[in-house]
Amino acid sequence: MKFSTKAEYGLRAMVNLASCFPELKNIKSISQEEKISAKYLERLIGELRERKIVKSLKGKNGGYVLARKPEQITAGEIIEIMDGSMVPKCYGNQCTHMKTCASSFVWIKLGEQIRKTLYGIKLGDLIK
Amino acid sequence: MKFSTKAEYGLRAMVNLASCFPELKNIKSISQEEKISAKYLERLIGELRERKIVKSLKGKNGGYVLARKPEQITAGEIIEIMDGSMVPKCYGNQCTHMKTCASSFVWIKLGEQIRKTLYGIKLGDLIK
DNA sequence: TTAAAGCATACTAAATTAGTAGGATATAAA
DNA sequence: TTTATATCCTACTAATTTAGTATGCTTTAA
């Protein structure tokens, strides 16, 4: 089981913005500090902007700010946006986690725990 | 975050064997019952054999049996073998989850929870 | 002796991931 | 009002991983 670098990059960038909240910071600075390709990061943060995690300001002296306070944004939100669903599914949509499928219990239980864990961690918790 | 079908196939196959434990079952039967490519499954179960989850009996009337009782095999063992490590790491091995890396807390915490959950589920729990 | 099983290895096709490239658009400051 | 600096948008590509095939060898119970 893996997480993509996308989730990791996204989280790191948001933690970075949380650290300077409520100041603006531009892609160039974030990418240098976090050692992530600027162009790639630009796209990732774009997705987080669509989903209202960050706000952007265009033009000179522009950049990004968290759309909410660090205490009001969870790791789960960010990771779910970056990585897609956190609930593993049985293959080919044939199994829709029916009661008759014994092993589906494992994925359901696990999905619950993962959500519980990640939605319980706020950016505010990570910057102390 | 995703699990591969490999982990799912492996788990399903082991649950299947748990259901008929301690009887032998051959690849052909398992693959038909679980609707998984026989040749692919053969390889997957091969890995589980190397790691002592199942025992095999070659030759006519051969097949596979769980190497231990269903109560003594956990979902975590199987999934870890099939899927590799369950602990997500920071990128490029540059970050080794240091205390200075704020976001690494998330992956460490999550890894713990995943392990706790999956190692807490035994095959025996799944076949009732 | 032989048919039925697992064992081993190499190959391939499809999907996903991780980026690049190039420009269009917006805007604050000079 | 011009210009530099930033985000925004879309298409392309390279690398890796996943999922699955193919082929043949080895073992062994009947």
Side-chain angles (χ1 to χ4, degrees):
Chain A
M1 181 216 45
K2 285 177 199 158
F3 283 84
S4 58
T5 60
K6 210 176 153 184
E8 199 214 308
Y9 290 171
L11 181 62
R12 292 228 311 268
M14 294 304 100
V15 170
N16 187 303
L17 283 181
S19 303
C20 66
F21 185 82
E23 284 172 35
L24 280 171
K25 194 179 278 186
N26 64 28
I27 287 282
K28 200 177 169 190
S29 301
I30 302 172
S31 79
Q32 281 173 356
E33 288 171 20
E34 299 295 335
K35 298 189 182 63
I36 298 169
S37 150
K39 271 293 186 188
Y40 191 37
L41 188 58
E42 201 177 321
R43 266 206 355 222
L44 303 190
I45 294 187
E47 290 180 45
L48 293 167
R49 183 187 52 83
E50 286 172 22
R51 302 292 296 275
K52 313 283 188 200
I53 303 291
V54 290
K55 282 188 290 192
S56 64
L57 211 77
K58 290 177 117 184
K60 199 165 182 175
N61 296 335
Y64 297 91
V65 216
L66 294 183
R68 285 167 271 151
K69 291 179 197 165
E71 295 75 33
Q72 295 172 340
I73 298 175
T74 67
E77 289 180 83
I78 295 164
I79 293 169
E80 193 144 32
I81 291 168
M82 292 285 90
D83 237 32
S85 171
M86 287 185 294
V87 184
K89 282 179 189 158
C90 287
Y91 85 112
N93 300 330
Q94 290 183 22
C95 168
T96 49
H97 289 326
M98 296 174 293
K99 284 179 186 170
T100 52
C101 174
S103 48
S104 72
F105 172 81
V106 174
W107 309 116
I108 292 171
K109 195 86 182 171
L110 182 62
E112 283 170 11
Q113 287 301 316
I114 292 173
R115 283 174 164 272
K116 204 171 173 180
T117 304
L118 293 180
Y119 280 89
I121 302 175
K122 295 164 200 112
L123 290 186
D125 303 331
L126 298 172
I127 55 174
K128 284 157 197 166
Chain B
M1 183 214 42
K2 285 176 198 159
F3 283 84
S4 59
T5 59
K6 210 176 153 184
E8 199 213 309
Y9 291 169
L11 181 62
R12 291 229 310 269
M14 294 305 99
V15 171
N16 187 304
L17 283 182
S19 304
C20 68
F21 185 82
E23 283 173 36
L24 280 172
K25 194 179 277 186
N26 63 27
I27 286 282
K28 201 177 169 189
S29 302
I30 301 173
S31 79
Q32 281 172 357
E33 288 171 20
E34 299 295 335
K35 298 187 182 64
I36 298 168
S37 151
K39 271 293 180 189
Y40 191 38
L41 188 59
E42 200 177 323
R43 265 207 355 220
L44 303 189
I45 294 186
E47 290 180 46
L48 293 166
R49 182 187 52 84
E50 286 173 23
R51 301 292 296 274
K52 313 282 190 201
I53 303 291
V54 290
K55 283 186 290 190
S56 65
L57 211 77
K58 290 177 118 186
K60 200 165 183 175
N61 296 334
Y64 296 92
V65 216
L66 294 183
R68 286 167 270 151
K69 291 179 196 164
E71 295 75 33
Q72 296 171 339
I73 297 175
T74 67
E77 287 180 86
I78 296 164
I79 293 169
E80 194 144 31
I81 291 167
M82 292 284 91
D83 237 32
S85 171
M86 287 185 293
V87 184
K89 282 180 190 158
C90 287
Y91 83 113
N93 299 329
Q94 289 184 21
C95 170
T96 49
H97 290 327
M98 296 172 294
K99 284 179 185 170
T100 53
C101 175
S103 48
S104 71
F105 172 80
V106 173
W107 309 116
I108 292 171
K109 195 86 181 172
L110 182 62
E112 283 169 11
Q113 287 301 315
I114 292 172
R115 282 173 165 274
K116 204 170 173 180
T117 303
L118 293 179
Y119 280 89
I121 301 174
K122 296 164 199 110
L123 289 185
D125 304 330
L126 298 172
I127 54 174
K128 284 160 198 165

